[in-house]
Amino acid sequence: MDVLTSLEGSPEDESPASPVFQELLLDEKHAQLTEVQLFGRSGKCLYAVAVGMNTETKILDFDVSARFVGAELPARVTSSYAGGDWAVAEKSPPIATEAQSGLRLAILDVPGMPPCEAHWFTTAGLKIGYGDLSGVPTTTGGTTIRWQYQVSWAALS
């Protein structure tokens, strides 16, 4: 049963889904902690994603950065997933739970960034990121948009 499958976009997408990852680095910190770094492109931005997996706490940590060069930002920037049947608690920051597996996703606050969003759409899947970029601070040389979330698989044990 798939409960969280990345939906990847392409560099031609005007409003990207998740990036197509073209480079991957693996860093094994110690026996319980491994970090995977992913780099890719979607739409008008370059993505860098660090995914830390801790087998003791049973948590995946996602730290996502999308870098845009130029003044024009896309309509939205998200990590997009298919699979499962997610319920999103409307609080700040939001928490999502998958009905059958009990998998839990928690949005984390990122200093200097507006609150991130999470939404579940039966036809489009789980979207994590920014559907409205009006509150994102921009610079003339380029803009970096960042969001973080954790997925806990403790309920799957």
Side-chain angles (χ1 to χ4, degrees):
M1 165 181 66
D2 290 340
V3 294
L4 203 61
T5 303
S6 180
L7 295 174
E8 295 179 347
S10 74
E12 293 78 32
D13 293 343
E14 184 172 322
S15 189
S18 291
V20 176
F21 295 114
Q22 299 151 328
E23 186 178 341
L24 181 136
L25 298 172
L26 179 65
D27 184 9
E28 295 185 54
K29 306 280 188 192
H30 51 76
Q32 289 79 32
L33 181 61
T34 300
E35 183 176 275
V36 178
Q37 295 180 13
L38 307 140
F39 303 92
R41 182 186 164 119
S42 187
K44 299 174 184 172
C45 83
L46 300 173
Y47 281 79
V49 182
V51 182
M53 180 178 72
N54 189 317
T55 56
E56 283 185 339
T57 61
K58 298 185 178 182
I59 290 177
L60 289 171
D61 280 301
F62 290 81
D63 189 339
V64 183
S65 292
R67 177 84 176 148
F68 295 87
V69 178
E72 186 182 338
L73 293 176
R76 69 184 75 72
V77 179
T78 64
S79 298
S80 301
Y81 297 99
D85 182 15
W86 291 85
V88 178
E90 297 296 329
K91 59 185 204 175
S92 184
I95 294 175
T97 307
E98 202 283 319
Q100 295 178 355
S101 68
L103 204 66
R104 182 177 180 269
L105 185 142
I107 304 296
L108 305 177
D109 287 327
V110 177
M113 295 298 298
C116 184
E117 304 168 354
H119 300 283
W120 166 249
F121 304 96
T122 54
T123 56
L126 184 63
K127 306 286 185 194
I128 305 157
Y130 296 95
D132 175 9
L133 297 176
S134 61
V136 172
T138 60
T139 62
T140 55
T143 299
T144 299
I145 299 168
R146 187 169 164 224
W147 61 100
Q148 295 179 325
Y149 54 100
Q150 294 180 327
V151 176
S152 170
W153 73 90
L156 299 176
S157 304

